[in-house]
Amino acid sequence: MTRPLVLTLGEPAGVGPEIVAAAWKSPAADMSPFAVIGDAALLEAQGVPVADVFAPGDAAHRFATALPVIHRPLPAAVEVGRPDPANAPSVADGIEEAVSFALSGEASGVVTAPIAKAPMYASGFRFPGHTEFIAELTADAPYAGTRGPVMMLTAKDLRACLVTIHVALDQVPELVTAERVARTARVVHECLKRDFAIARPRLAMAALNPHAGEGGALGLQELDILLPLAEQLRGEGIDITDPRPADTLFHDEARATYDAAICMYHDQALIPVKTLDFWGGVNVSLGLPIIRTSPDHGTGFDIAGKGIARPDSLIAAIRLASEMAAARAAR
């Protein structure tokens, strides 16, 4: 059995407290023990028993009867659905503490509930999001492999990995460089072996342009960048396809031919993931010294406090983090 996971509560005015409490109450027998960093009062308000603990390691023997919480009181009162920038530094501190527990080995991995960017930025937070913040927090930790972060979205049997993420579509072509695509492919190849226990990973490369460029008629990136790069990566021992038209890459039969798809831009990856399993998708940060997963949705301010937020994605993120931790520990 691996060490307990550590969860962050995310934006306190969003659905984070609800879905964390619901995940603990889930009847699933395979739910791994976890401790939560956050304000215990927010979780008690969800009607779950809370156990005050000091570290993730204390969670295992308390988890069956109460939700283990590393209590970190918030400076400002929480109004559901209305984020307060006064609480944003505490949100960032919770992420930093969770990462510290994972780096020290006290936690087997980190699962992060969603944060709200606007109040974080208003408080001086200088990172685009979770992924970049965690990458900096772990930058000095030793890591044997190609360092990320690379964002993977996964649902059911699909793992879609992003070369570019939150950029305008008209910026994507100039960012699809051989260096960027190669780093993504190397990180994914290594992580599938280390964290997913796939001995011989098979990667599919999605083309940037329709019909994979149609021999240059619909764009030259496939001919000039992606085809030569695929050949180079195969020479390194990475099993990766030539760029394939994205519109034929994600149906059932196609997914059976690869373990992960390298996607060039945001919607190319997220549309098939969310179509395949809208409620259960998971965001994974690859190429870091620690394991980090997250539900593939936002703070849900419009539904917070109404008792209708679904915990499916968070439960899937907890399960996947536990599986990844076990695979990494077994190596």
Side-chain angles (χ1 to χ4, degrees):
M1 181 177 177
T2 57
R3 295 175 301 281
L5 300 165
V6 61
L7 272 62
T8 60
L9 206 52
E11 168 53 54
V15 298
E18 296 174 58
I19 61 174
V20 169
W24 178 79
K25 290 190 292 185
S26 168
D30 60 347
M31 179 64 67
S32 299
F34 58 80
V36 184
I37 297 176
D39 195 317
L42 295 177
L43 293 162
E44 289 176 326
Q46 304 303 318
V48 297
V50 168
D52 191 14
V53 298
F54 295 99
D58 301 328
H61 69 283
R62 307 297 300 274
F63 191 78
T65 57
L67 175 55
V69 179
I70 301 168
H71 178 50
R72 299 292 181 259
L74 292 167
V78 174
E79 184 178 355
V80 175
R82 296 182 178 273
D84 188 337
N87 287 326
S90 295
V91 174
D93 289 345
I95 299 167
E96 188 167 358
E97 186 174 11
V99 170
S100 178
F101 279 130
L103 287 173
S104 70
E106 295 177 80
S108 60
V110 175
V111 182
T112 57
I115 58 174
K117 307 291 179 58
M120 298 289 285
Y121 297 155
S123 74
F125 188 73
R126 60 184 179 84
F127 300 91
H130 263 122
T131 303
E132 295 83 1
F133 184 36
I134 294 173
E136 174 148 318
L137 292 174
T138 59
D140 294 331
Y143 181 70
T146 306
R147 190 177 284 266
V150 167
M151 181 184 289
M152 169 191 284
L153 285 304
T154 180
K156 296 186 178 177
D157 64 345
L158 174 59
R159 303 180 186 96
C161 308
L162 291 156
V163 173
T164 68
I165 308 175
H166 297 119
V167 298
L169 196 57
D170 63 1
Q171 297 175 23
V172 170
E174 64 187 62
L175 295 175
V176 176
T177 63
E179 179 181 5
R180 190 183 297 267
V181 178
R183 182 181 68 87
T184 302
R186 292 178 185 125
V187 168
V188 174
H189 172 78
E190 294 167 11
C191 289
L192 287 178
K193 292 200 292 185
R194 182 184 60 246
D195 298 333
F196 291 82
I198 300 173
R200 296 177 179 83
R202 303 164 300 163
L203 305 184
M205 182 189 293
L208 174 65
N209 294 300
H211 300 184
E214 198 74 78
L218 298 178
L220 295 173
Q221 286 85 358
E222 285 74 22
L223 293 176
D224 293 346
I225 299 171
L226 300 180
L227 275 166
L229 178 61
E231 184 174 354
Q232 173 191 326
L233 291 170
R234 287 192 289 268
E236 298 175 11
I238 296 176
D239 183 354
I240 189 168
T241 68
D242 287 341
R244 295 166 57 181
D247 63 352
T248 62
L249 196 56
F250 300 108
H251 62 87
D252 292 350
E253 290 83 357
R255 294 198 311 275
T257 67
Y258 60 82
D259 300 301
I262 307 299
C263 300
M264 299 299 138
Y265 57 93
H266 183 275
D267 286 7
Q268 192 178 65
L270 270 72
I271 288 174
V273 167
K274 293 191 175 186
T275 301
L276 190 63
D277 187 357
F278 184 79
W279 299 109
V282 177
N283 182 340
V284 188
S285 298
L286 302 180
L288 297 177
I290 67 168
I291 289 164
R292 180 258 172 163
T293 66
S294 178
D296 184 25
H297 60 70
T299 52
F301 290 131
D302 58 328
I303 62 170
K306 297 180 180 178
I308 59 175
R310 292 178 54 159
D312 308 44
S313 186
L314 178 62
I315 292 171
I318 294 168
R319 288 176 177 160
L320 181 57
S322 179
E323 292 167 5
M324 292 173 66
R328 188 175 286 197
R331 288 182 62 84

